[in-house]
Amino acid sequence: MPRSLEQFQALVENSSDVISLVDQEGQILYASASTAAVLGYQPEELLGRNGLDLVHPLDRDHTVRTLQKALAEPKLPNRTQARVRQKDGKWRWVESTASNLLDEPHVGAIVINYRQIDSRRAEEEERQRLVEELTRCNAELEAFAHTVAHDLKEPLHTISAFTQILVKKAQLAEADRDITTFIIEGVRRMSTVLDDLLSSAKISFSDSLHPVNLEFAASQAMENLKEAVTSSGASIKMEPLPTVQGKQSDLVRVFQNLLSNAIKYRSESAVEIQVTAERIGGDWVIRIRDNGIGIRREDHNRVFGLFRRLHSEEIPGTGIGLAVCKKIVEGLGGTIWVESEAGSGSTFCFTVAADVAADRDWPTVCSAKA
Ligand code: ADP
């Protein structure tokens, strides 16, 4: 144990870590001699400056949060990492610990102790922190979308039900009846958007995966689209499809969204759709080809964005279907894309990892195409 003030001073001044005292706003009251070795500043050059001004803009928010945490938890050390500007203008990664000793009569400051760290390790940890923050924000956003969509459904239902009662009870003139039809139609459209939003927020990657026969999933999707298939007279040809690991309801949804688009965005010709599978390396590439209106090259990526539509109301839709497909396919580790030219049909393709165990039951395809 150091016994005198001089001994404490000697310890601080000879430590390779920088020890610095700041007030609750972050203004520097003291900086130890090693500031020169770590940041290139003489300690007195930093006195009176705000320490946060030296922190990289991208690291400022979490550094402020660490200071706030230290203020709320006196005496407990709070650790963080940040890039700090050296005197020569370059950034240096440091690891710091802030302890709030404002109430200690002999200190009356926040003690910040920091040292230089390996930039690669720091960047990896920073990447990890950002991934965690992004995952948390995404989960919050999805929970928010789910709550909003869920809560809006009830009042919508009320509007629709009471408008219909009004139409039945009141002796409405023809023009007024048209208005109520617009209201009911608007409510129906909004209800479809909310249903799509609710189901897109329901996709969860925490559930375990099971073998899913894609042929069965595609047939189930066609069954769900029976009305649209019959009324459009679409011809759908399906080659043998493999069994993969996934979630049955999600994969049915992928086929359903892609097949229903292939029917919806038809050209003048009779609708012809082909579903095929090709084994490429460790993946299956599933293709859904149509002879519809096609998509311009510059829109190929756009169509997978949430609420992105290339068409106005003349073809009904919510702009959610392809974003949901992307989320499901990428959640299984695959990719999804479209190959198309305006006016010459579209081929939507997605990859899904081959299930080697399941492929053994399908020797012809594996030996021919693997
Ligand atoms: P929705 O069909 O509800 O609008 P999607 O997310 O399924 O939403 O599709 C986004 C947009 O991509 C559609 O509005 C349409 O413009 C375009 N699109 C999707 N599939 C096709 C297709 N098979 N052929 C041509 N355009 C398509």
Side-chain angles (χ1 to χ4, degrees):
M1 272 288 277
R3 276 159 296 161
S4 66
L5 189 59
E6 287 71 26
Q7 279 177 315
F8 269 115
Q9 223 160 6
L11 264 182
V12 168
E13 291 303 319
N14 289 295
S15 162
S16 58
D17 285 10
V18 177
I19 296 167
S20 135
L21 300 180
V22 301
D23 68 12
Q24 45 197 333
E25 263 80 51
Q27 198 173 65
I28 301 170
L29 309 171
Y30 167 82
S32 65
S34 45
T35 308
V38 176
L39 296 182
Y41 288 102
Q42 290 309 316
E44 52 280 10
E45 290 182 270
L46 294 183
L47 298 187
R49 289 183 64 174
N50 193 306
L52 289 170
D53 293 344
L54 298 176
V55 176
H56 193 287
L58 288 176
D59 298 327
R60 217 162 278 163
D61 278 355
H62 71 259
T63 308
V64 169
R65 276 203 297 276
T66 308
L67 266 182
Q68 285 166 344
K69 219 165 152 230
L71 283 171
E73 300 172 336
K75 296 192 182 141
L76 291 182
N78 280 285
R79 202 178 73 90
T80 192
Q81 294 178 349
R83 278 153 289 188
V84 177
R85 200 176 51 243
Q86 299 176 168
K87 190 169 181 183
D88 63 8
K90 291 191 184 134
W91 296 102
R92 170 162 276 192
W93 276 100
V94 301
E95 180 178 76
S96 67
T97 307
S99 309
N100 170 3
L101 301 185
L102 284 163
D103 291 338
E104 290 287 307
H106 299 299
V107 187
I110 300 170
V111 179
I112 300 192
N113 165 331
Y114 58 90
R115 71 171 69 135
Q116 182 196 348
I117 49 168
D118 170 29
S119 62
R120 252 197 317 214
R121 198 193 97 203
E123 270 157 19
E124 179 49 35
E125 286 188 19
E126 171 68 358
R127 201 185 61 82
Q128 191 60 32
R129 193 185 64 74
L130 287 174
V131 168
E132 278 165 20
E133 200 165 311
L134 211 62
T135 312
R136 189 181 49 77
C137 285
N138 261 344
E140 272 174 17
L141 214 60
E142 278 180 6
F144 174 73
H146 189 274
T147 310
V148 171
H150 186 266
D151 291 357
L152 286 179
K153 283 218 56 142
E154 187 52 40
L156 266 189
H157 183 70
T158 312
I159 295 171
S160 172
F162 278 98
T163 312
Q164 286 177 39
I165 293 173
L166 192 69
V167 174
K168 272 198 196 136
K169 279 195 155 180
Q171 302 290 323
L172 294 179
E174 189 73 18
D176 294 335
R177 250 195 241 147
D178 284 350
I179 293 173
T180 56
T181 311
F182 286 136
I183 296 175
I184 293 168
E185 182 51 26
V187 167
R188 196 193 56 73
R189 276 212 310 275
M190 201 163 157
S191 204
T192 312
V193 174
L194 294 180
D195 281 340
D196 281 1
L197 262 182
L198 274 171
S199 56
S200 98
K202 251 190 240 155
I203 301 165
S204 145
F205 302 116
S206 52
D207 300 342
S208 52
L209 305 181
H210 301 283
V212 178
N213 182 298
L214 291 185
E215 223 165 288
F216 178 80
S219 309
Q220 181 67 57
M222 280 174 356
E223 178 63 26
N224 298 347
L225 294 169
K226 204 154 71 186
E227 210 184 300
V229 175
T230 314
S231 62
S232 65
S235 135
I236 305 180
K237 290 203 177 103
M238 189 160 67
E239 278 189 8
L241 302 181
T243 293
V244 297
Q245 291 288 325
K247 239 177 85 189
Q248 167 110 347
S249 56
D250 283 352
L251 287 161
V252 170
R253 187 105 70 82
V254 171
F255 280 110
Q256 195 167 317
N257 291 350
L258 297 177
L259 289 170
S260 96
N261 281 350
I263 296 171
K264 255 192 334 188
Y265 300 104
R266 61 178 297 175
S267 62
E268 300 289 304
S269 323
V271 181
E272 284 176 12
I273 302 169
Q274 268 180 303
V275 183
T276 60
E278 183 185 3
R279 175 78 181 261
I280 298 182
D283 286 333
W284 283 103
V285 181
I286 312 298
R287 295 188 174 89
I288 288 119
R289 173 174 301 137
D290 65 51
N291 61 341
I293 53 179
I295 301 173
R296 295 181 312 170
R297 248 163 217 285
E298 56 266 43
D299 292 324
H300 284 188
N301 285 334
R302 263 184 65 195
V303 292
F304 293 98
L306 196 58
F307 302 124
R308 289 302 174 99
R309 303 204 67 221
L310 306 178
H311 296 88
S312 51
E313 286 308 316
E314 86 273 13
I315 306 178
T318 58
I320 295 177
L322 288 179
V324 165
C325 292
K326 185 173 158 74
K327 191 169 167 188
I328 294 173
V329 169
E330 290 182 352
L332 292 174
T335 44
I336 186 165
W337 70 97
V338 60
E339 292 165 2
S340 179
E341 298 280 350
S344 51
S346 309
T347 305
F348 278 85
C349 317
F350 66 92
T351 61
V352 55
D355 179 343
V356 181
D359 282 355
R360 274 194 214 111
D361 301 334
W362 204 13
T364 42
V365 175
C366 284
S367 57
K369 294 190 169 171

